[in-house]
Amino acid sequence: MTIICPGCNSQAMRVFDFHGQEVDSCTQCGGIWFDSGELNGALSVADNGNSNVGIENALGENLGVSSRKCSHCQCNMQHYYLMDDFQIEVDVCHSCTGVWIDEHEREKVVQSPRVRAALELLNQKTSVKTWLFQFLLQMPIEYNLKTKTKPWVTYALLALNIIIFFAYGYSEPATVWVFDHFAMQPSLVMQGQQVMPLLSHMFLHGDIIHLLGNMYFLYVVGDNLEDAIGHSRFLAVYLLCGFAAAFAQIASDPTSAIFMVGASGAIAGLFGMYLLWFRHASLTFMFVIYQKKLSPMVFFAIWLLLNLFGAWAAEGGVAYWAHIGGFVAGLIIGLSLKARVMSANPILALLNSPEVKVSR
């Protein structure tokens, strides 16, 4: 019997081994026809983290009648999403119980069990516990992928900042001496009298609240970024964003003699990279008592608007231009590295595809 390709209507269908299953594949358009059970069998053998896949029996939303005809009985097939949250479109024949997948969907379908497992993490709902945490501490909760590696650089930065602060932070004479020698003053940098403070200011904080706020956000975004680009590169981009933040603050007021301290500028750079690489993540935002999961795009847009308003209003005590400069540096670095990061992290790339729908 001649088998007609549902994708291009050619008669170029040939038997093809696909992860241990003998399936029919079109030599012209590259699509694959799976008889009943063959898709489950192939995905259960493929390297995708699941050895017992039952996706044929749990497809997503039915999108109606397809324009394509079954390769065996020539009946019009039904159009489905592979999963409701991973909207790869497949065609199913209810008469022959077969499934048709186009060539460009092949690898996404193979890795769909990993995507399903990731979405279970990302789509968790907020709880009373997370509400209480944010209500009491006013800090967001992150919903993101678990890291594959230990974020040793993030941990080291946390420890270093905390140790340095407690070495001077509760002694006024020690604080005065440390700030005089290691805090950055734009006017002195412009006069060529400061070099080391361009680096050392990133590891100093004005008070315990300043320290805890910065360290919390470093902990939230740092682990995933370090996991994505590696330990040494993560440290390099962290410091680079810190330098960019310092120069942005200097440029905003080169005659200022106000001390500038804190990791905020470097961490703002991490925000920019996180926004570009982890668009599927969620960060909770609380308005009085209402807690809502937001995309990084929305969350950091609010953060950026607050900083722009602070810079425009010239509110003292906060280096708003350092935050903005660090964030812009992070966006530039994030864009320049994005293709490499996605290539090295296939699941991250899949989660950035438009077919993925995250519940918030």
Side-chain angles (χ1 to χ4, degrees):
M1 180 182 69
T2 301
I3 300 177
I4 307 298
C5 171
C8 64
N9 296 317
S10 73
Q11 297 182 16
M13 300 286 286
R14 298 291 184 271
V15 175
F16 171 70
D17 181 84
F18 187 75
H19 296 287
Q21 298 290 321
E22 290 190 353
V23 300
D24 297 308
S25 178
C26 179
T27 59
Q28 288 193 16
C29 71
I32 301 178
W33 173 264
F34 296 90
D35 288 325
S36 180
E38 289 182 342
L39 180 58
N40 286 343
L43 297 188
S44 296
V45 172
D47 180 17
N48 56 26
N50 191 339
S51 59
N52 187 26
V53 177
I55 201 165
E56 290 181 45
N57 307 316
L59 294 172
E61 180 185 353
N62 186 331
L63 303 175
V65 178
S66 171
S67 61
R68 292 173 171 177
K69 296 185 181 295
C70 173
S71 62
H72 293 286
C73 68
Q74 293 300 299
C75 294
N76 280 95
M77 295 190 286
Q78 294 287 313
H79 214 38
Y80 283 85
Y81 283 141
L82 186 70
M83 300 185 303
D84 286 329
D85 294 331
F86 191 33
Q87 296 178 350
I88 304 297
E89 297 182 5
V90 300
D91 297 294
V92 178
C93 178
H94 287 176
S95 298
C96 301
T97 62
V99 180
W100 173 261
I101 294 174
D102 291 322
E103 182 181 30
H104 69 276
E105 300 167 337
R106 183 184 303 184
E107 188 56 30
K108 292 181 179 180
V109 171
V110 169
Q111 295 301 327
S112 60
R114 291 193 195 277
V115 175
R116 183 187 292 275
L119 286 170
E120 288 176 359
L121 288 174
L122 301 174
N123 290 336
Q124 295 178 75
K125 296 185 180 298
T126 58
S127 64
V128 172
K129 182 179 178 181
T130 62
W131 185 93
L132 280 172
F133 177 91
Q134 187 162 17
F135 180 75
L136 294 173
L137 299 181
Q138 295 300 301
M139 293 294 183
I141 304 295
E142 180 200 28
Y143 294 83
N144 203 349
L145 299 175
K146 291 182 178 179
T147 59
K148 305 183 295 295
T149 58
K150 287 287 185 183
W152 296 117
V153 173
T154 298
Y155 291 162
L157 289 170
L158 290 169
L160 185 59
N161 277 276
I162 293 169
I163 290 169
I164 289 174
F165 177 79
F166 279 98
Y168 73 84
Y170 289 99
S171 168
E172 185 175 348
T175 299
V176 171
W177 186 88
V178 168
F179 274 40
D180 282 342
H181 289 81
F182 299 105
M184 190 188 80
Q185 292 176 276
S187 60
L188 295 182
V189 173
M190 294 301 294
Q191 294 168 23
Q193 297 180 36
Q194 283 193 340
V195 177
M196 176 59 71
L198 288 169
L199 173 64
S200 59
H201 83 278
M202 302 181 207
F203 299 93
L204 306 178
H205 291 84
D207 55 41
I208 190 66
I209 300 301
H210 187 203
L211 173 72
L212 292 178
N214 277 345
M215 294 305 97
Y216 181 77
F217 277 103
L218 173 58
Y219 174 77
V220 166
V221 302
D223 57 345
N224 290 107
L225 291 169
E226 185 175 345
D227 191 52
I229 61 177
H231 307 303
S232 58
R233 188 174 286 116
F234 174 75
L235 178 59
V237 298
Y238 177 86
L239 295 175
L240 185 58
C241 289
F243 289 133
F247 288 123
Q249 188 64 30
I250 293 169
S252 71
D253 188 0
T255 63
S256 173
I258 298 174
F259 289 122
M260 175 180 164
V261 296
S264 307
I267 295 168
L270 301 186
F271 290 169
M273 288 181 281
Y274 188 93
L275 167 65
L276 292 173
W277 302 346
F278 294 95
R279 58 180 290 274
H280 56 270
S282 296
L283 294 162
T284 56
F285 181 84
M286 182 167 281
F287 181 74
V288 188
I289 61 171
Y290 177 68
Q291 187 185 47
K292 170 66 177 174
K293 290 169 69 176
L294 300 179
S295 69
M297 177 70 76
V298 175
F299 187 90
F300 291 125
I302 295 171
W303 173 87
L304 182 60
L305 286 173
L306 291 174
N307 276 275
L308 288 170
F309 176 79
W312 172 78
E315 295 180 2
V318 179
Y320 290 108
W321 283 109
H323 298 174
I324 296 166
F327 184 72
V328 171
L331 289 175
I332 294 171
I333 294 170
L335 284 170
S336 65
L337 293 180
K338 187 174 182 179
R340 183 184 301 177
V341 168
M342 295 302 148
S343 177
N345 299 272
I347 297 305
L348 185 58
L350 279 175
L351 290 171
N352 275 274
S353 66
E355 294 90 352
V356 172
K357 306 300 176 185
V358 177
S359 300
R360 296 190 172 95

